[in-house]
């Protein structure tokens, strides 16, 4: 399931890269949150999912702890939804023209920021589930 999740997210990042390969659109979206969302979908998600797959695969071998599959599925679902809720709305912010590297933004961008913050909260919950899961704590 981790590999399928990675392929889905990497494909979304690749499709947004096609948009950025258009010279006209790249000039419009350059230095906006659209580029940030594309970058995170392609690079960050791939690295995180790969690290998690490696840890889940080798942790029982290294520690001798048996991992609970139902908790692994819960952690995957919360991380997958959290990642999409965090980074997909950032595309909309970029399309609206929200620039990067600014300290304060117009209130018109606040809705998608709230949605993205909800996704960040889900990612934090998923990380806590992952740490407890790897330590062998069962719920």
């Amino acid at each position: 399931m981790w590999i399928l999740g990675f392929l889905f997210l990497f494909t979304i990042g690749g499709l947004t890269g096609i948009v950025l390969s258009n010279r006209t659109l790249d000039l419009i979206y350059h230095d906006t949150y659209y580029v940030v969302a594309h970058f995170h979908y392609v690079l960050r998600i791939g690295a995180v999912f790969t690290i998690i797959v490696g840890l889940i695969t080798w942790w029982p071998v290294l520690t001798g702890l048996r991992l609970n599959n139902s908790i692994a599925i819960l952690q995957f679902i919360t991380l997958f939804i959290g990642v999409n809720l965090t980074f997909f709305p950032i595309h909309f912010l970029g399309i609206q023209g929200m620039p990067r590297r600014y300290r304060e933004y117009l209130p018109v961008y606040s809705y998608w920021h709230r949605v993205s913050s909800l996704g960040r909260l889900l990612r934090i919950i998923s990380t806590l589930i992952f740490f407890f899961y790897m330590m062998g704590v069962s719920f």
Side-chain angles (χ1 to χ4, degrees):
M1 78 182 149
W2 287 102
I3 294 170
L4 291 176
F6 162 75
L7 289 174
F8 175 80
L9 296 172
F10 194 77
T11 302
I12 297 247
L15 292 174
T16 59
I18 292 171
V19 172
L20 292 173
S21 70
N22 184 333
R23 183 181 172 107
T24 306
L25 292 176
D26 185 45
L27 289 172
I28 295 170
Y29 294 148
H30 183 74
D31 258 352
T32 66
Y33 263 34
Y34 191 89
V35 176
V36 173
H38 162 71
F39 178 80
H40 280 84
Y41 262 105
V42 172
L43 294 178
R44 184 181 184 280
I45 303 309
V48 169
F49 273 45
T50 306
I51 290 169
I52 290 174
V53 166
L55 285 172
I56 287 174
T57 302
W58 287 101
W59 193 258
V61 175
L62 296 173
T63 63
L65 294 174
R66 184 182 164 112
L67 300 175
N68 187 340
N69 285 336
S70 59
I71 296 175
I73 292 170
L74 174 68
Q75 193 264 332
F76 170 77
I77 290 171
T78 55
L79 182 64
F80 188 78
I81 293 171
V83 162
N84 281 304
L85 274 178
T86 301
F87 297 117
F88 202 75
I90 296 176
H91 286 101
F92 300 135
L93 290 168
I95 290 170
Q96 290 176 349
M98 183 174 150
R100 307 182 323 170
R101 302 183 192 118
Y102 279 65
R103 193 170 143 176
E104 294 181 15
Y105 300 101
L106 298 173
V108 71
Y109 303 126
S110 65
Y111 174 75
W112 291 117
H113 273 291
R114 280 189 236 120
V115 173
S116 185
S117 295
L118 177 65
R120 186 189 67 167
L121 178 64
L122 277 175
R123 285 188 359 241
I124 290 170
I125 292 169
S126 173
T127 303
L128 292 174
I129 291 171
F130 181 71
F131 286 138
F132 287 124
Y133 168 72
M134 295 305 278
M135 295 303 144
V137 176
S138 50
F139 298 100

